[in-house]
Amino acid sequence: MMNGEPDYDLIECDPDRYSDWTDRKFLMEKARESYGMNTCPAFPKEERWAGRPTERVSGVYEETKERGAAFGFHAGWEQPHFFATKGELTTTPVCYTRKHYHDAVGREVDLILNGVGVADLTPFGKFILEGPGATKFLSSMVANTLPKVGSNQMLLFKTVPKLHNSKLIIF
């Protein structure tokens, strides 16, 4: 994978295990897990649990855990995927059918549409752009429309090719 995208899915290599936040214990557990699962099929939304939970948690981790959060692994961060009620699983069994957390996600959607909700977006990139050309520049970099002043929304960055070392890809 010297140029562009890999020829196949690299889940068995688990590239998330390599970063500056990892420690030796985590690396060893993930290496053993990845090697052990080398010939196993990958399932949709499969979570790999070796070395988890990581030390990379947000300030609301404990509170969300107490409220039934089922966590996913995102760039080394433990991030809530959904909230289970008493008696519901917080783990994700592997399968190709509808996931068991369908009803839990439905409850959350209903709460957000008819009330209010909070999302822990700690793993997501955050940038501060300022200056006279900031709005025009950002508008050219995202796939959707910028929010009005005083409101916010998640923006989807376009994939921009890297032209040379002085130009960066943002995604």
Side-chain angles (χ1 to χ4, degrees), residues 4 23 27 61 68 76 82 93 95 97 99 103 122 131-132 141 158 170:
D23 60 19
L27 291 173
Y61 175 78
F82 65 92
C95 67
T97 60
K99 297 296 185 181
D103 292 339
T122 303
M141 295 296 292
K158 299 173 187 173
I170 301 174

Side-chain angles (χ1 to χ4, degrees), residues 82-83 101-114:
F82 65 92
F83 287 84
Y101 50 77
H102 181 266
D103 292 339
V105 172
R107 284 192 307 270
E108 293 172 37
V109 169
D110 185 57
L111 285 168
I112 290 169
L113 290 175
N114 298 304

Side-chain angles (χ1 to χ4, degrees), residues 129-141 146:
L129 298 176
E130 58 185 337
T135 300
K136 183 177 179 183
F137 170 74
L138 188 56
S139 184
S140 73
M141 295 296 292
L146 296 179

Side-chain angles (χ1 to χ4, degrees), residues 1-18:
M1 189 179 82
M2 298 298 290
N3 299 303
E5 296 293 322
D7 296 336
Y8 55 89
D9 187 2
L10 294 175
I11 186 64
E12 68 271 8
C13 298
D14 196 5
D16 279 341
R17 72 177 187 243
Y18 303 108

Side-chain angles (χ1 to χ4, degrees), residues 95-166:
C95 67
Y96 288 110
T97 60
R98 177 184 278 177
K99 297 296 185 181
H100 72 283
Y101 50 77
H102 181 266
D103 292 339
V105 172
R107 284 192 307 270
E108 293 172 37
V109 169
D110 185 57
L111 285 168
I112 290 169
L113 290 175
N114 298 304
V116 66
V118 176
D120 181 2
L121 301 178
T122 303
F124 287 76
K126 295 142 193 93
F127 304 93
I128 296 176
L129 298 176
E130 58 185 337
T135 300
K136 183 177 179 183
F137 170 74
L138 188 56
S139 184
S140 73
M141 295 296 292
V142 298
N144 46 341
T145 306
L146 296 179
K148 295 178 181 174
V149 174
S151 64
N152 62 40
Q153 76 184 56
M154 188 177 298
L155 299 173
L156 303 172
F157 282 91
K158 299 173 187 173
T159 301
V160 180
K162 185 173 181 179
L163 301 176
H164 52 76
N165 287 336
S166 63

